[in-house]
Amino acid sequence: MTVGILSIASMLIWIAVTQELGKPSEKQNNRKVMAFTALGMISIAVITISLFQNLLSN
């Protein structure tokens, strides 16, 4: 259940990154892009580790 919630949150983060990058260069907030990208990478790493742990425990 937790992985499902984290997956949805991760998708929302990457959607936010995509929308921010879709803006013209003058209107992009680079700090927001960097923060969302970092959060997205961390969430993907947590999801991947969790899934591997589930695979190895079964």
Side-chain angles (χ1 to χ4, degrees):
M1 183 67 176
T2 305
V3 175
I5 294 170
L6 189 58
S7 298
I8 292 170
S10 180
M11 287 189 317
L12 293 175
I13 291 169
W14 287 112
I15 289 170
V17 170
T18 305
Q19 288 180 346
E20 189 68 27
L21 289 174
K23 293 179 182 177
S25 314
E26 301 83 29
K27 293 186 178 182
Q28 282 182 5
N29 186 343
N30 290 334
R31 289 184 184 186
K32 187 186 289 186
V33 171
M34 291 300 294
F36 282 152
T37 302
L39 284 172
M41 290 189 312
I42 291 169
S43 67
I44 292 296
V46 170
I47 292 168
T48 303
I49 291 168
S50 176
L51 290 175
F52 273 114
Q53 286 178 342
N54 286 340
L55 284 174
L56 293 176
S57 67
N58 291 334

